[in-house]
C-alpha cells in the first residue's frame, strides 16, 4: 500500500506538472496586428497615457519600466520618463531594451520607424469608440501581458466591470422631460469631442445631448455650437478663461449661467478607471442634488437658519419679560418661582435630550455583511462588490442618499470623509480597515 501510494503521488505530480506546462504553452504565442509574442514581456515602456490607464486598471502597473511625460497617473508617476508620447527619446528607450512599447496614434512616424529598425516592438493602440471596441482593446492589451487565455479573460472582465460601473452611474441620473445639452471643447477654435469617440458618448450616460455629435472642424463646428447653444460647456484646462473673454461665446446659455467646467483633456481621453471618474464628475456637476456634500450643505444651512430663528424668538421673549415689570413684591416672588420652575423644566429637557442621544447610539447594530481584513482599503476610482456593501452601510447610517453602485466616486469619498470626521478618525476619504471595522460595528456614530 505504501508503494502504491508513493507511485500514485509521483504520477499525480507528473500529471500536475504536465498540465501546468501545457497550460503555459496554451497562453503563448499571442498575435496582435503583425506582431507575435512568444512569452510574457519582462520589460514594458508605455508612451500612451490611455494604455497606461488600462494597464493600471488591469493590475499591470508593476510591469511598466518607463513612461512618457503624459502618463501622470499616481501609480506610475515615480517611474523614469522617456520624454513626450509624440517624440520620445529613442536613445533612452533603446537603453531599456523593452520587449514592447505601447503607443497611440500621436507617436511620430519617424520615431516609430527608428525604434522598429532597432528590433523594438511598437504596438500602436487605437482608442475605443464603443463598449465593444473597449472590450477588444482591453483583451488585446491584457493578452500581450498575460497570455491569450488568462490575459484575455482578465481584460474582458475588467472592461465589463467598467461598462457596468458606467451603467450604474447612469441609473443614478434623474429622468427629466427636457434633456440638457452639452459639449466638450479642446480649444476656442472649434475642436470638440464628437460622437465617434467614447469620451464624446459620455454625455449620453449623463442623460445629456452632445451638440458636437458630428465630425466638423473650425468655423463649421463653431457655427453648429452657436445654433445649438449648449447649456453646459466642458473644456480643457485653460480654455474656460478664453471662452469667457471671447465675444463669440458671450450670448451662450452656458456662459450666462456660468455653466463652464474644466476637465483636463488628457484625463478625459483615458480609457481605464478615468472614464468612470470623469462620468461621475460630469453627473455631479449637472445634477448637484446627487452630491452628498450638497445634501450636507443644505442640512447645515437649515440647522443654522433654525438656530438663528430660535435665537431671535428667545430674544423677543426676553424683551417681553423685561418690559412686563412686576407691580408689587408678590408679583416678583411669583416670577422667581416661575423662573425656578422653568430651570427645572430646562434640566428635565436636557436630561431627556441626553437620554434620547444615548438611546439613538444604542440602536445602532453591528453589521457583519463585510468580511474585513487588515490589508483592506478602498479609495476614489475603484470598483468592487465590497464597495457596494460599504455604500449600503453608509446609506443605513445616513451618510449617503444614493443607491449603492459598487463604484467608489466623489459621492462615496465625501460620505466616507463625513463618517471619518464624525467618528474622530483621520479624514482622508480612504476606507481602510480601521475605518471599516468601526463603520460596521455597534460603536459607530450615525450621521
Amino acid at each position: 500500500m505504501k508503494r502504491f501510494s508513493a507511485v500514485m503521488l509521483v504520477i499525480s505530480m507528473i500529471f500536475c506538472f504536465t498540465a501546468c506546462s501545457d497550460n503555459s504553452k496554451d497562453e503563448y504565442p499571442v498575435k496582435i496586428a503583425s506582431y507575435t509574442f512568444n512569452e510574457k514581456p519582462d520589460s514594458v515602456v508605455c508612451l500612451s497615457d490611455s494604455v497606461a490607464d488600462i494597464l493600471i486598471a488591469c493590475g499591470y502597473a508593476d510591469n511598466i519600466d518607463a513612461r512618457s511625460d503624459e502618463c501622470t497617473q499616481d501609480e506610475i508617476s515615480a517611474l523614469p520618463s522617456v520624454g513626450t508620447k509624440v517624440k520620445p527619446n529613442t536613445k533612452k528607450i533603446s537603453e531599456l531594451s523593452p520587449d514592447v512599447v505601447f503607443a497611440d496614434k500621436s507617436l511620430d512616424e519617424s520615431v516609430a520607424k527608428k525604434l522598429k529598425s532597432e528590433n523594438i516592438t511598437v504596438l500602436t493602440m487605437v482608442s475605443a469608440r464603443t463598449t465593444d471596441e473597449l472590450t477588444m482593446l482591453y483583451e488585446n492589451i491584457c493578452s500581450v501581458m498575460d497570455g491569450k487565455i488568462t490575459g484575455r479573460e482578465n481584460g474582458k472582465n475588467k472592461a465589463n466591470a467598467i461598462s457596468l460601473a458606467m451603467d450604474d452611474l447612469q441609473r443614478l441620473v434623474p429622468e427629466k422631460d427636457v434633456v440638457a445639452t452639452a459639449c466638450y471643447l479642446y480649444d476656442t477654435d472649434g475642436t470638440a469631442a464628437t460622437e465617434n469617440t467614447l469620451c464624446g458618448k459620455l454625455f449620453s450616460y449623463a442623460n445629456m445631448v452632445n451638440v458636437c455629435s458630428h465630425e466638423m472642424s473650425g468655423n463649421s463646428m463653431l457655427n453648429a455650437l452657436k445654433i445649438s447653444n449648449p447649456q453646459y460647456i466642458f473644456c480643457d484646462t485653460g480654455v474656460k478663461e478664453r471662452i469667457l473673454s471671447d465675444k463669440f461665446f458671450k450670448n451662450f446659455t452656458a456662459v450666462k449661467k456660468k455653466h463652464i467646467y474644466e476637465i483636463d483633456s488628457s484625463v478625459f481621453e483615458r480609457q481605464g478607471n478615468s472614464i468612470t471618474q470623469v462620468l461621475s464628475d460630469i453627473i455631479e456637476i449637472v445634477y448637484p442634488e446627487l452630491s452628498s456634500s450638497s445634501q450636507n450643505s443644505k442640512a447645515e444651512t437649515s440647522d443654522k437658519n433654525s438656530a438663528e430663528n430660535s435665537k431671535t424668538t428667545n430674544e423677543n421673549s426676553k424683551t417681553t419679560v423685561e418690559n412686563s415689570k412686576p407691580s408689587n413684591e408678590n408679583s416678583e416672588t411669583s416670577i422667581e418661582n416661575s423662573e425656578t420652575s422653568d430651570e427645572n423644566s430646562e434640566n428635565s429637557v436636557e436630561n431627556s435630550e441626553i437620554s434620547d442621544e444615548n438611546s439613538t447610539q444604542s440602536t445602532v447594530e453591528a453589521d457583519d455583511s463585510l468580511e474585513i481584513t487588515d490589508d483592506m482599503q478602498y479609495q476614489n476610482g475603484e470598483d468592487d462588490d465590497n464597495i457596494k456593501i460599504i455604500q449600503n452601510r453608509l446609506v443605513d447610517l445616513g451618510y449617503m442618499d444614493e443607491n449603492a453602485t459598487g463604484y467608489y466616486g466623489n459621492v462615496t469619498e465625501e460620505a466616507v470623509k463625513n463618517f471619518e470626521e464624525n467618528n474622530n478618525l483621520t479624514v482622508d476619504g480612504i476606507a481602510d480597515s480601521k475605518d471599516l471595522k468601526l463603520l460596521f460595528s455597534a460603536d459607530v456614530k450615525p450621521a
Side-chain angles (χ1 to χ4, degrees), residues 10 186 198 240 261 290 368 381:
V10 171
Y186 295 93
L198 187 62
K240 178 179 178 179
Y261 306 94
L290 296 178
D368 61 354

Side-chain angles (χ1 to χ4, degrees), residues 4-23:
F4 177 76
S5 298
V7 171
M8 290 303 295
L9 179 61
V10 171
I11 292 173
S12 297
M13 291 175 67
I14 293 172
F15 176 78
C16 289
F17 178 78
T18 305
C20 292
S21 178
D22 289 342
N23 189 44

Side-chain angles (χ1 to χ4, degrees), residues 416-429:
V416 171
K417 284 182 179 178
N418 291 333
F419 151 72
E420 288 169 336
E421 184 176 3
N422 197 31
N423 286 268
N424 299 319
L425 297 167
T426 302
V427 181
D428 55 10

Side-chain angles (χ1 to χ4, degrees), residues 4 22 33 51 72 75 92 110 117 128 147 164 178 182-183 206 264 267 287 293 314 346 373 386 398 408:
F4 177 76
D22 289 342
V51 174
T72 57
E75 293 86 347
K92 285 185 176 180
S110 61
S117 69
L164 286 171
V178 180
C183 65
D264 191 289
V267 179
Y287 309 99
S293 58
N314 291 337
E346 286 175 0
T373 57
N386 283 340
Y408 201 121

Side-chain angles (χ1 to χ4, degrees), residues 99-119:
D99 295 314
V100 60
V101 174
F102 285 107
D104 55 37
K105 293 177 75 175
S106 65
L107 180 65
D108 188 271
E109 228 176 281
S110 61
V111 175
K113 284 181 179 178
K114 182 170 176 55
L115 291 172
K116 289 174 183 177
S117 69
E118 296 180 17
N119 294 321

Side-chain angles (χ1 to χ4, degrees), residues 71-241:
C71 298
T72 57
Q73 290 91 340
D74 291 339
E75 293 86 347
I76 59 173
S77 60
L79 294 177
S81 173
V82 293
T84 68
K85 69 177 183 178
V86 179
K87 285 192 174 182
N89 188 320
T90 54
K91 184 180 178 181
K92 285 185 176 180
I93 296 175
S94 297
E95 288 172 353
L96 292 167
S97 299
D99 295 314
V100 60
V101 174
F102 285 107
D104 55 37
K105 293 177 75 175
S106 65
L107 180 65
D108 188 271
E109 228 176 281
S110 61
V111 175
K113 284 181 179 178
K114 182 170 176 55
L115 291 172
K116 289 174 183 177
S117 69
E118 296 180 17
N119 294 321
I120 295 174
T121 301
V122 180
L123 273 181
T124 302
M125 312 306 294
V126 180
S127 296
R129 295 169 296 177
T130 64
T131 52
D132 287 340
E133 287 185 7
L134 186 72
T135 301
M136 187 179 296
L137 178 62
Y138 270 70
E139 287 180 353
N140 287 339
I141 292 173
C142 291
S143 64
V144 171
M145 299 301 298
D146 233 357
K148 58 190 174 186
I149 299 173
T150 304
R152 196 170 290 277
E153 186 67 20
N154 183 30
K156 181 181 178 180
N157 290 338
K158 187 58 188 178
N160 287 340
I162 285 182
S163 296
L164 286 171
M166 292 172 68
D167 290 339
D168 287 342
L169 285 169
Q170 186 178 26
R171 279 191 282 271
L172 294 177
V173 176
E175 293 184 7
K176 295 189 177 181
D177 294 333
V178 180
V179 180
T181 54
C183 65
Y184 182 87
L185 301 180
Y186 295 93
D187 51 43
T188 54
D189 300 324
T191 310
T194 58
E195 282 293 301
N196 67 340
T197 66
L198 187 62
C199 295
K201 289 184 172 71
L202 285 181
F203 293 112
S204 63
Y205 281 92
N207 196 24
M208 304 175 77
V209 173
N210 181 9
V211 298
C212 299
S213 57
H214 301 296
E215 189 72 43
M216 289 183 281
S217 60
N219 290 331
S220 298
M221 182 63 81
L222 290 174
N223 288 332
L225 276 171
K226 191 172 183 178
I227 293 169
S228 58
N229 189 17
Q231 296 165 289
Y232 293 86
I233 294 178
F234 296 87
C235 59
D236 199 359
T237 306
V239 177
K240 178 179 178 179
E241 189 177 341

Side-chain angles (χ1 to χ4, degrees), residues 357-358 360-366 393-400 415-425 435-447:
E357 184 178 346
N358 291 335
T360 300
Q361 290 180 355
S362 65
T363 58
V364 177
E365 295 181 358
R393 181 64 169 171
L394 289 168
V395 170
D396 291 341
L397 295 171
Y399 290 105
M400 273 182 68
V416 171
K417 284 182 179 178
N418 291 333
F419 151 72
E420 288 169 336
E421 184 176 3
N422 197 31
N423 286 268
N424 299 319
L425 297 167
D435 290 355
L436 295 174
K437 285 174 183 177
L438 179 57
L439 179 66
F440 285 81
S441 74
D443 298 325
V444 62
K445 291 181 181 177

